[in-house]
């Protein structure tokens, strides 16, 4: 029942072009479903909101005979309109669809527009979310949201226990205000005087809101420009090797859900220091798999990093517990659950 058996699925979301230096969980889901025998289509890889939406709608229409069910990613803000438009066309074609909720900003968006969000959720055969936090936040609008975590191909992330962490830090998110890259610079500045060997590598695509430029200026202003490596975007295949070069993963986001980058870091054995934004406290337990600090509190983040660097036993416990937490997202257990939801959304499959 969980295999594709030749069925077709269309994944509708934001799929970065191959040269974009980033990837979404849906990219991996597409590849893993194909391995299980599904005929997988994806849309869209076009850049720009207008071009991406037009391409998605064209694909939904032109290739309507090639898929039996669609899976549509739902984000907040302007991206919500894309999901609405895609689902409206799928509905007119009589195509069943499954919605997947994403992003730490979606609960606030739903509180501002509850009727609009509820209408979209009610039309789906099933609704999924990658975290219990996000499912709980929207449960009043759709109580049967299924939690299916973002999949990880765990074998791609070699585990190295960090008992005795070196002062090598890494930050891996997009350069955008919601991920607060300037706060990471401030953490380095607070630690630099007493830890002359401390270095931070910042990896991620520039989303164009000025965050990267402001972070670079802040590093120069605080006198830590030589402590930070600005690596830019890297291909998804390089992420494990980049993570392996560091011992502490720093996450400074102000809005978040269940970030894949944090799971990837834990899979590799890094010690995670993160803000407590959104669903992160449900993804990891403070003091067990990670050390958490209030959003925007550079002092608390710096203190947490210092604790890890000064306490080899703490570093080792966090490293081992983080790996165990990441193992719960191994694709071997996640993908069959996804396939079951998709099969269940196809009326013919239910009748069979």
């Amino acid at each position: 029942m969980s295999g594709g058996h030749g069925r077709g699925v269309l994944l509708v979301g934001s799929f970065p072009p191959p040269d974009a230096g980033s990837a979404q969980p849906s990219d991996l889901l597409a590849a893993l479903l194909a391995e299980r025998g599904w005929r997988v289509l994806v849309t869209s890889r076009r850049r720009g909101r207008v071009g991406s939406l037009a391409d998605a709608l064209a694909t939904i229409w032109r290739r309507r005979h090639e898929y039996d069910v669609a899976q549509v990613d739902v984000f907040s803000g302007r991206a919500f309109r894309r999901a609405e438009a895609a689902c409206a066309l799928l509905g007119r074609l009589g195509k069943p669809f499954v919605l997947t909720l994403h992003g730490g900003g979606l609960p606030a968006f739903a509180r501002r527009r509850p009727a609009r969000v509820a209408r979209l959720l009610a039309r789906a055969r099933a609704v999924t979310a990658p975290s219990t936090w996000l499912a709980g936040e929207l449960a009043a609008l759709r109580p049967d949201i299924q939690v299916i975590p973002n999949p990880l191909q765990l074998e791609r992330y070699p585990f190295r226990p960090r008992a005795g962490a070196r002062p090598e830090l890494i930050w891996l998110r997009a350069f955008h205000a919601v991920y607060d890259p300037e706060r990471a610079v401030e953490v380095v500045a607070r630690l630099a005087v007493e830890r002359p060997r401390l270095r931070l590598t910042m990896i991620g695509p520039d989303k164009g809101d000025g965050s990267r430029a402001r972070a670079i200026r802040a590093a120069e202003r605080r006198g830590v420009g030589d402590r930070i490596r600005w690596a830019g975007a890297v291909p998804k295949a390089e992420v494990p090797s980049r993570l392996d070069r560091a011992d502490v993963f720093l996450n400074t986001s102000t809005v978040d859900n269940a970030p894949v980058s944090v799971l990837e870091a834990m899979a590799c054995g890094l010690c995670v220091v993160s803000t407590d934004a959104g669903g992160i406290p449900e993804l990891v337990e403070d003091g067990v798999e990670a050390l958490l600090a209030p959003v925007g509190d550079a002092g608390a983040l710096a203190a947490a990093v210092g604790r890890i660097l000064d306490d080899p036993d703490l570093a080792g416990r966090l490293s081992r517990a983080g790996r165990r937490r990441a193992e719960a997202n191994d694709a071997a257990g996640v993908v069959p659950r996804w396939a079951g939801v998709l099969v269940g959304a196809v009326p013919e499959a239910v009748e069979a």
Side-chain angles (χ1 to χ4, degrees), residues 110-127:
R111 286 192 290 272
R112 295 192 302 270
R113 300 170 177 82
R116 182 179 171 189
V117 176
R119 279 195 301 271
L120 180 63
L121 300 188
R123 297 177 63 196
R125 292 290 176 89
V127 180

Side-chain angles (χ1 to χ4, degrees), residues 46-68:
R46 290 273 185 90
R47 287 186 172 95
R49 292 188 180 94
V50 175
S52 175
L53 175 58
D55 184 53
L57 295 178
T59 301
I60 291 170
W61 172 258
R62 292 173 185 165
R63 308 192 72 173
R64 60 191 181 278
H65 301 300
E66 300 178 45
Y67 59 93
D68 304 294

Side-chain angles (χ1 to χ4, degrees), residues 43 67 124 131 167-168 225 250 350:
T43 188
Y67 59 93
S131 71
E168 284 287 342
L250 180 62
V350 174

Side-chain angles (χ1 to χ4, degrees), residues 7-294:
R7 293 189 181 93
V9 59
L10 172 65
L11 306 186
V12 182
S14 178
F15 293 85
D19 62 346
S22 63
Q24 298 294 331
S26 294
D27 279 296
L28 178 56
L29 178 61
L32 294 171
L33 287 173
E35 289 179 2
R36 295 184 66 86
W38 288 81
R39 291 180 286 105
V40 180
L41 306 173
V42 303
T43 188
S44 167
R45 295 195 185 278
R46 290 273 185 90
R47 287 186 172 95
R49 292 188 180 94
V50 175
S52 175
L53 175 58
D55 184 53
L57 295 178
T59 301
I60 291 170
W61 172 258
R62 292 173 185 165
R63 308 192 72 173
R64 60 191 181 278
H65 301 300
E66 300 178 45
Y67 59 93
D68 304 294
V69 61
Q71 178 268 329
V72 182
D73 287 339
V74 181
F75 291 86
S76 59
R78 295 178 183 177
F80 190 83
R81 299 174 187 170
R82 179 177 58 206
E84 287 179 310
C87 293
L89 181 53
L90 288 165
R92 295 190 66 160
L93 292 171
K95 294 289 187 179
F97 58 85
V98 173
L99 299 178
T100 300
L101 310 180
H102 291 285
L106 189 56
F109 181 87
R111 286 192 290 272
R112 295 192 302 270
R113 300 170 177 82
R116 182 179 171 189
V117 176
R119 279 195 301 271
L120 180 63
L121 300 188
R123 297 177 63 196
R125 292 290 176 89
V127 180
T128 73
S131 71
T132 55
W133 172 79
L134 190 53
E137 288 289 308
L138 274 78
L141 303 181
R142 174 94 186 216
D144 62 341
I145 298 172
Q146 301 180 55
V147 177
I148 305 180
N150 291 319
L152 279 184
Q153 287 183 296
L154 208 62
E155 68 274 11
R156 296 188 177 182
Y157 299 89
F159 174 59
R160 177 168 61 84
R162 263 62 172 191
R166 300 167 300 141
E168 284 287 342
L169 282 57
I170 190 167
W171 182 97
L172 177 61
R173 301 302 295 260
F175 280 90
H176 188 279
V178 297
Y179 301 123
D180 203 5
E182 286 184 77
R183 203 67 54 203
V185 171
E186 188 177 348
V187 169
V188 172
R190 287 173 176 267
L191 294 167
V193 173
E194 296 183 1
R195 302 180 187 275
R197 295 176 54 240
L198 185 137
R199 297 290 185 273
L200 169 67
T201 299
M202 299 190 75
I203 297 175
D206 186 351
K207 291 299 184 179
D209 70 341
S211 294
R212 189 175 191 273
R214 288 193 295 272
I216 293 173
R217 289 196 298 270
E220 296 301 326
R221 187 172 63 250
R222 300 294 295 268
V224 293
D226 60 337
R227 302 293 192 97
I228 301 175
R229 310 178 187 99
W230 309 92
V234 301
K236 191 69 171 179
E238 291 185 17
V239 167
S241 63
R242 295 297 187 106
L243 288 170
D244 189 56
R245 300 173 192 176
D247 283 357
V248 179
F249 184 88
L250 180 62
N251 180 59
T252 54
S253 55
T254 63
V255 176
D256 229 324
N257 176 26
V260 172
S261 58
V262 170
L263 287 165
E264 291 177 314
M266 292 192 296
C268 290
L270 278 77
C271 302
V272 172
V273 172
S274 174
T275 60
D276 60 0
I280 290 177
E282 292 194 22
L283 178 67
V284 295
E285 183 178 351
D286 183 26
V288 178
E289 295 104 353
L291 298 184
L292 303 183

